[in-house]
């Protein structure tokens, strides 16, 4: 299946491509849905892939849902999905702290309910969830109570993010032995109609700027989410594809993990973006293939019957 | 007065240096005071400089005080000072918007009372000051009410900074014609005892990350504060010195404005930092002179009597 990069998948090529794949890793937002609406044809594609014996996993940088919450949303939009097929950054952050960092202490959490639930399910004590109302002045903030058992700061999406939380993170991170983990660095959360709100990356940059430190990032383009799939479920890299809408996260991760990559144009990145990276020699951000929508792969599946 | 860079001021050199200066530009925090305590000897130095006919101005990146509030703090700590001698970023941001940008519209302000007062004094309508409690969810945030008259977003220090304010800034800044101004990018506010809390730079980086834009910065190392002193008060660059504790703001600004620079070691940067910049050839961050404390200049003034 050697091919020049950034090739449109269609017709016979599409049929051969699907036949060469056993495992499909899907990003979700911008690929399978936008906001709360499924991409037309995407549920049919995913369900058809599974009917044909392909394995499907969902890899998302979004930290606002647990595995169970993602499986529920997938089901509601028409995708058959089990929690064990979902690898989001809420879950993978908890796995990282438990299995890789072997954290012996508490987490100071800038993050929401899903992160708290996944940390709890992994047996990791944590504090910080929910509102942290502004009180006091400069001297109080510099002397804010610190739990001596906190050995890590985790930054995920948190709509309660404010100056108090930023300050608490700084006070913990002044200890160089305190771990500093970010779920992801996506700058915006895209919503329906081209609208967007600030993403986790904004909170991460604020804390990094205060702490004079860089966070270790769990999400794509880092490979940790992929490593979690490999460890828990196993896969044959040469028969696996990463399908995503972002060149700087999904495609870059797929390239660096040595699997094939497929860009779908229903989300963040455009074909022009990909061609531009190709021209500048940034090959790791150029997908092997692209489609207008993942639904374009449906005919390749039904043709296999004929 | 040609000299090799990064020379300790003392004895005869110190006396000749003081004699060669008509105008002294002082950074405040870490130079004249730390937190709420004057650097020992600093009030005497400043008052003695004025008695000898030198002109003194206060140039600070801090946006949490008006000119009048700064003059009051200076007076309380023993420094004679008039509001017209104070050039802080609250005041200079208002000057920039009124005289340089000639803003015809409102400001969405992430900032405190001092910024609001200086904008008001300059006749610039603004909104956003004070708490902005979290309400609603993703779709509400993306559709948040926008005042169509807002033509600039200003980010200064704001202890009420939170996700709602970050989101409002993003929604305004998606219009490319909306100005984006930051008072300063200092990462931390230093307090007594080596403690620190997050500075304005953290908030600026969060908004820049969301907006996919860089802010225009009013504070040091940019030269706009210096330009304000020149325009309002006039000065002879060859007989002017910038005295500061930070190489990356005070000294860099002085270098780029073509005036002499003096590092004092009572604040942020160390002599090692300066020597390290010198070795790497980053000359604009290397001061012409340094002292352990501005009080070290006092003997040079009294010796002029002899």
């Amino acid at each position: 299946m050697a091919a020049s990069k950034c090739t449109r998948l269609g017709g016979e090529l599409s049929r051969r491509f699907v036949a060469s794949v056993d495992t499909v890793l899907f990003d979700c937002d911008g690929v399978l849905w936008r906001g709360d609406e499924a991409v037309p044809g995407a549920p049919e594609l995913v369900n058809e892939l599974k009917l044909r014996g392909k394995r499907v996993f969902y890899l998302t940088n979004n930290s606002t849902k647990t595995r169970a919450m993602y499986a529920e949303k997938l089901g509601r939009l028409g995708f058959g999905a089990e929690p064990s097929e979902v690898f989001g950054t809420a879950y993978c952050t908890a796995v990282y702290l438990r299995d890789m960092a072997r954290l012996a202490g508490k987490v100071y959490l800038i993050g929401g309910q899903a992160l708290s639930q996944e940390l709890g399910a992994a047996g990791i004590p944590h504090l910080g969830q929910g509102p942290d109302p502004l009180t006091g002045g400069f001297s109080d903030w510099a002397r804010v109570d610190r739990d001596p058992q906190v050995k890590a700061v985790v930054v995920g999406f948190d709509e309660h993010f404010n100056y108090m939380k930023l300050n608490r993170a700084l006070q913990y991170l002044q200890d160089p032995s305190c771990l500093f983990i970010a779920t992801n660095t996506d700058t915006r959360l895209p919503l329906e109609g081209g609208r967007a709100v600030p993403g986790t990356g904004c909170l991460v940059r604020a804390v990094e700027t205060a702490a004079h430190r860089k966070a270790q990032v769990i999400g794509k383009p880092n490979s940790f989410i992929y490593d979690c799939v490999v460890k828990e479920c196993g896969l044959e890299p040469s028969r696996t594809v990463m399908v995503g809408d972002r060149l700087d996260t999904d495609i870059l991760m797929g390239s660096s993990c040595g699997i094939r990559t497929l860009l779908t144009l229903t989300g963040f990145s455009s074909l022009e973006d990909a061609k531009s990276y190709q021209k500048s020699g940034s090959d790791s951000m150029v997908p092997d293939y692209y489609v207008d929508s993942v639904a374009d792969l449906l005919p390749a599946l039904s043709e296999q019957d004929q």
Side-chain angles (χ1 to χ4, degrees), chain A:
Chain A
M1 284 293 293
S4 54
K5 298 269 272 183
C6 210
T7 307
R8 179 189 283 274
L9 267 191
E12 171 61 13
L13 180 63
S14 186
R15 200 196 56 72
R16 281 195 287 137
F17 171 79
V18 168
S20 75
V21 162
D22 290 336
T23 302
V24 185
L25 311 177
F26 281 107
D27 178 42
C28 297
D29 196 75
V31 175
L32 301 180
W33 62 64
R34 282 169 294 207
D36 253 331
E37 291 168 17
V39 167
E44 292 78 359
L45 174 78
V46 168
N47 299 335
E48 196 67 24
L49 284 168
K50 289 183 157 189
L51 275 176
R52 311 263 160 189
K54 317 285 188 191
R55 295 194 310 162
V56 168
F57 298 102
Y58 306 92
L59 279 65
T60 171
N61 275 358
N62 192 311
S63 69
T64 67
K65 289 187 176 64
T66 62
R67 303 185 99 177
M69 289 155 83
Y70 255 106
E72 186 279 324
K73 176 168 182 175
L74 283 158
R76 182 161 43 85
L77 295 184
F79 303 88
E82 297 298 321
S84 61
E85 294 168 339
V86 177
F87 292 80
T89 53
Y91 171 71
C92 291
T93 296
V95 170
Y96 181 86
L97 289 169
R98 184 190 62 198
D99 299 344
M100 303 295 285
R102 298 174 189 277
L103 183 73
K106 293 182 188 173
V107 165
Y108 174 66
L109 176 62
I110 294 178
Q113 203 180 10
L115 260 165
S116 174
Q117 285 182 16
E118 294 287 16
L119 289 176
I124 299 168
H126 55 282
L127 53 102
Q129 200 206 332
D132 189 351
L134 181 74
T135 56
F138 290 105
S139 301
D140 307 297
W141 303 333
R143 290 178 172 78
V144 75
D145 280 342
R146 280 186 287 181
D147 185 327
Q149 291 188 284
V150 166
K151 303 295 182 199
V153 169
V154 170
V155 181
F157 185 81
D158 187 347
E159 69 266 34
H160 295 289
F161 181 75
N162 68 357
Y163 187 78
M164 296 299 276
K165 293 193 174 201
L166 173 61
N167 177 57
R168 277 186 219 278
L170 165 57
Q171 303 308 327
Y172 284 119
L173 289 169
Q174 283 185 305
D175 173 358
S177 73
C178 182
L179 291 177
F180 181 16
I181 311 290
T183 59
N184 67 87
T185 54
D186 294 42
T187 59
R188 295 181 183 175
L189 274 164
L191 299 174
E192 299 96 331
R195 295 173 192 267
V197 296
T200 305
C202 306
L203 319 188
V204 174
R205 295 303 173 224
V207 176
E208 287 182 337
T209 303
H212 299 175
R213 293 174 59 177
K214 298 293 278 182
Q216 163 133 8
V217 183
I218 299 297
K220 300 169 281 183
N222 288 23
S223 64
F224 186 71
I225 297 184
Y226 174 82
D227 297 340
C228 287
V229 180
V230 172
K231 188 172 175 208
E232 291 188 19
C233 309
L235 55 77
E236 169 55 49
S238 70
R239 296 188 60 82
T240 300
V241 64
M242 175 71 213
V243 184
D245 70 316
R246 287 191 71 130
L247 300 168
D248 61 348
T249 55
D250 305 315
I251 303 307
L252 181 54
M253 187 205 76
S255 302
S256 65
C257 293
I259 60 176
R260 281 172 291 171
T261 55
L262 170 58
L263 175 71
T264 177
L265 300 173
T266 48
F268 187 86
S269 297
S270 67
L271 185 57
E272 290 67 42
D273 297 335
K275 298 279 184 196
S276 163
Y277 281 126
Q278 194 168 31
K279 268 187 203 140
S280 67
S282 306
D283 285 350
S284 56
M285 303 241 252
V286 182
D288 295 309
Y289 306 101
Y290 72 92
V291 285
D292 291 327
S293 159
V294 292
D296 295 358
L297 296 173
L298 266 172
L301 282 167
S302 40
E303 282 161 20
Q304 295 197 312
D305 284 333
Q306 296 170 352

